[in-house]
Amino acid sequence: MAAKQPAMSPSDLPIAEVLDRATGPRRAEADELLTMFGEISGEQPVVWAGRIIGFGEFEYRYESGRRGRSPLLAFAPGPTKHTIYLANDFSERWPDLMARLGTHRASKVCLYLTRLTGVDLSALRTLLERSLAEARSRVR
């Protein structure tokens, strides 16, 4: 019997299938995010965990010994919001960018944007660049 794939792993699911989960004006925004992430990362998009569009990948290992793989940069389009995955504690570490960003919600590693309208795309691009630089610094 084959070993079960971890939940957070790349798949061969078509990118368009995930992009189409964003509806109405968010669908065009998902295309805009796809382009921006590709330009910043220089990587091709791959679907992770059946719903996340990731660019590049790295392996991580916790002090406990637990290991895994993760995209260098990633976002998940959806019908009500876009979820962008960033470096740990990004909002506390880069408050200057968060203040410029515009309407958003944030958690430890996720930035939630209801719409890209009203978002400072330059601030978003800088957040993505900083997060990517940190992820790449962990690649061994």
Side-chain angles (χ1 to χ4, degrees), residues 7-8 11 24 26-27 32 37-38 40 55-56 63 73 77 80 82-85 105 107 113 123 130 139:
M8 190 57 165
S11 72
R26 282 185 197 82
R27 178 58 177 85
E32 188 175 348
F37 277 64
I40 291 168
F55 296 79
E63 288 180 19
L73 266 185
T80 61
H82 305 292
T83 303
I84 297 173
Y85 300 90
R105 284 188 316 110
S107 67
L113 303 174
R130 288 184 184 179
V139 175

Side-chain angles (χ1 to χ4, degrees), residues 17-137:
E17 194 171 309
V18 176
L19 290 171
D20 287 342
R21 293 177 185 161
T23 56
R26 282 185 197 82
R27 178 58 177 85
E29 293 174 351
D31 286 332
E32 188 175 348
L33 289 172
L34 183 73
T35 298
M36 182 186 294
F37 277 64
E39 289 171 357
I40 291 168
S41 71
E43 303 279 352
Q44 292 298 310
V46 174
V47 175
W48 288 68
R51 63 181 187 79
I52 298 169
I53 299 174
F55 296 79
E57 73 175 80
F58 70 99
E59 287 191 30
Y60 60 86
R61 182 180 180 150
Y62 293 117
E63 288 180 19
S64 66
R66 183 172 168 257
R67 321 167 63 123
R69 293 167 40 197
S70 182
L72 291 166
L73 266 185
F75 76 99
T80 61
K81 67 183 174 295
H82 305 292
T83 303
I84 297 173
Y85 300 90
L86 297 167
N88 278 339
D89 300 319
F90 66 92
S91 59
E92 288 92 30
R93 294 169 54 205
W94 303 313
D96 56 321
L97 292 172
M98 300 307 293
R100 283 185 29 218
L101 189 61
T103 306
H104 69 277
R105 284 188 316 110
S107 67
K108 188 172 180 79
V109 296
C110 293
L111 174 64
Y112 305 100
L113 303 174
T114 304
R115 296 290 312 278
L116 291 186
T117 54
V119 168
D120 180 332
L121 296 179
S122 172
L124 176 59
R125 181 176 284 273
T126 303
L127 278 170
L128 294 172
E129 289 167 347
R130 288 184 184 179
S131 189
L132 176 62
E134 181 169 309
R136 283 190 169 143
S137 75

